[in-house]
Amino acid sequence: MSASEKAKAKTEHTVGKVEKEMGRAIGNEHVAAEGESKEAKGDIRSAKEKGKDALKD
């Protein structure tokens, strides 16, 4: 996994998790849902990059 893609995946995951928890804390379901979406996008990006790495070996 390239360093930049790994950083993007981790950033998306972290930002999404923070946004999700903030939305839940303030009672805003829309913000929480957006956070969950970003978190999932980061997880998917990470899995994609890990898959690429596995195919290279």
Side-chain angles (χ1 to χ4, degrees):
M1 177 186 292
S2 73
S4 66
E5 290 298 314
K6 185 176 183 180
K8 284 181 187 177
K10 189 67 170 171
T11 300
E12 279 180 335
H13 177 81
T14 303
V15 168
K17 189 170 191 118
V18 168
E19 192 172 325
K20 177 179 75 172
E21 293 304 320
M22 187 183 331
R24 287 182 178 168
I26 63 174
N28 189 330
E29 291 181 24
H30 180 71
V31 173
E34 282 184 20
E36 282 188 55
S37 174
K38 287 179 185 176
E39 186 177 8
K41 187 176 177 184
D43 290 340
I44 291 168
R45 183 186 300 267
S46 179
K48 177 186 83 170
E49 292 301 319
K50 286 180 183 178
K52 283 182 178 177
D53 286 345
L55 292 175
K56 286 182 184 178
D57 293 339

